[in-house]
Amino acid sequence: MTTPTLKQSTLREHTRIHGLGIYRPEVIVTNEDICQWIDSSDEWIRQRTGIVTRHRADKDTSVIDMGEAAARAALADAGIEASQLGAVLVSTVTHPYATPSAAAQLADRLGATPAPAYDISAACAGYCYGIAQADALVHAGTAEFVLVVGVEKLSDFIDNTERTISFLLGDGAGAVVIGPSDSPGIGPSVWGSDGSKHESIRMTHSLLDVRELSLAALSEGPEALAAAAESAIWPTMRQDGPTVFRWAVWEMAKVAQQALDAAGIRAEDLVAFLPHQANIRIIDEMVKQLNLPEHVAVARDIVDAGNTSAASIPLAMHRLLSENPHLSGGLALQIGFGAGLVFGAQVVVLP
């Protein structure tokens, strides 16, 4: 008996970014506002982080709301309909439900059903993880167009009175449409993780802890439950700043160089550098270690937006292109890194 020949998807040689869209919340939180909650100053925050303001969403605006706004802008920029999407990927760590995914709900809102949709939990590297997966899906012929959304509402998971990470964080969303191309538009992804340092950026409690603490307080009566709520049962973020800083400064420049090498690109070939907007000192040190020429535009969106985790790179890309439209079509090195610890980097052609 002759074994039938199995059909496979038609491979595509090249991919690129077809469209870009963002959403920035209207509420702006200044350093002076931050200093109401922590013993600090505008000068200290600027010197240590580079941040002057950050955007935060109001209580009625969700991760899905922000993601939808950015996604619709990206689809319009790409000139395609949601029905043409072969997959919807949402990178976020702040969707407040373990299930269903933000991606499935977003796909429904956009009219992308029945496109496969799933969330990516890779914190500040989430956008680059999404690009790596979208690139592979299009290459493999599994999808023609893939929507990648990086979106965070970090303000839902911060304790304003702690000073390891909360004063750094902002909210926002960025989205891109990845699709086929006649020429190379996305270089090989260099990505990975180091879970041995997972405690460096962490949550104060798990959801199981929340349940146990709440039940224990409830058994003691309403007053005890109210007191427990005041003592921050809700999980919020913390980080070991010095550990994260050293890791980012000394290890991520190596990853960025690996992405350049994998793409066959030299630093002088770049028109832009799009690092995760974690800290202005980390960005400046990476620029030095990579020996980037002066003509390379360096994204410093952190000054006005703060650290927006998975949203930071597309937000920074949008600002850079808005202020420097002549960079469109040039090569940019992008790198994300954060909780996990995880990292991802690619060289891309700017849309």
Side-chain angles (χ1 to χ4, degrees):
M1 181 178 176
T2 303
T3 302
T5 301
L6 184 68
K7 289 184 177 180
Q8 290 189 296
S9 300
T10 302
L11 302 182
R12 296 188 179 92
E13 186 175 6
H14 304 306
T15 62
R16 69 179 174 92
I17 299 173
H18 284 256
L20 169 66
I22 67 160
Y23 173 81
R24 295 185 191 270
E26 294 183 359
V27 177
I28 296 176
V29 179
T30 67
N31 289 341
E32 287 80 4
D33 295 328
I34 294 293
C35 293
Q36 297 178 55
W37 302 309
I38 63 173
D39 181 17
S40 188
S41 68
D42 172 62
E43 181 182 13
W44 186 89
I45 295 173
R46 290 186 190 222
Q47 289 180 348
R48 300 287 292 183
T49 71
I51 299 172
V52 178
T53 62
R54 69 285 289 147
H55 294 251
R56 289 185 178 167
D58 62 44
K59 65 181 183 64
D60 296 321
T61 301
S62 70
V63 160
I64 298 171
D65 293 333
M66 293 190 288
E68 179 184 3
R72 291 192 182 280
L75 288 168
D77 191 43
I80 71 165
E81 300 295 327
S83 59
Q84 295 176 255
L85 292 172
V88 175
L89 314 183
V90 175
S91 295
T92 185
V93 293
T94 51
H95 181 49
Y97 298 94
T99 193
S101 68
Q105 295 174 73
L106 177 59
D108 177 63
R109 281 200 192 181
L110 295 173
T113 304
Y118 60 92
D119 291 355
I120 299 169
S121 178
C124 305
Y127 172 76
C128 289
Y129 268 45
I131 295 299
Q133 294 178 52
D135 176 51
L137 289 170
V138 177
H139 270 306
T142 305
E144 183 176 14
F145 294 104
V146 178
L147 176 69
V148 177
V149 180
V151 56
E152 303 288 8
K153 191 179 181 185
L154 292 158
S155 58
D156 279 346
F157 295 89
I158 62 174
D159 172 2
N160 284 322
T161 63
E162 74 85 33
R163 57 183 300 158
T164 68
I165 194 170
S166 295
F167 69 98
L168 300 170
L169 305 177
D171 302 335
V176 293
V177 174
I178 304 299
S181 174
D182 294 331
S183 58
I186 299 175
S189 293
V190 175
W191 54 339
S193 66
D194 180 3
S196 69
K197 295 183 176 65
H198 70 277
E199 286 288 333
S200 299
I201 306 174
R202 63 195 181 276
M203 303 298 291
T204 52
H205 305 296
S206 74
L207 292 180
L208 294 177
D209 293 333
V210 172
R211 182 178 65 181
E212 294 303 316
L213 290 167
S214 299
L215 288 174
L218 184 60
S219 67
E220 298 178 16
E223 291 184 2
L225 183 61
E230 286 294 324
S231 65
I233 283 179
W234 179 246
T236 55
M237 300 181 72
R238 298 290 188 275
Q239 79 167 344
D240 179 353
T243 298
V244 175
F245 184 88
R246 288 192 297 269
W247 174 75
V249 165
W250 300 114
E251 298 301 324
M252 291 305 98
K254 298 175 186 176
V255 172
Q257 185 60 56
Q258 290 168 17
L260 286 174
D261 295 341
I265 298 300
R266 301 169 301 171
E268 51 264 39
D269 298 323
L270 298 172
V271 300
F273 179 43
L274 297 167
H276 165 50
Q277 303 293 291
N279 183 303
I280 202 74
R281 293 188 299 152
I282 293 174
I283 293 171
D284 290 343
E285 185 59 36
M286 291 180 74
V287 168
K288 291 179 184 177
Q289 291 193 41
L290 290 168
N291 197 25
L292 295 182
E294 289 188 6
H295 76 264
V296 177
V298 179
R300 292 187 172 88
D301 191 49
I302 189 171
V303 173
D304 299 316
N307 178 344
T308 55
S309 186
S312 80
I313 292 175
L315 284 169
M317 180 187 292
H318 186 273
R319 180 184 294 275
L320 206 64
L321 287 171
S322 296
E323 296 175 351
N324 306 275
H326 64 280
L327 298 178
S328 178
L331 294 172
L333 169 62
Q334 58 184 28
I335 179 169
F337 46 87
L341 296 171
V342 295
F343 57 87
Q346 304 97 0
V347 176
V348 303
V349 174
L350 291 169

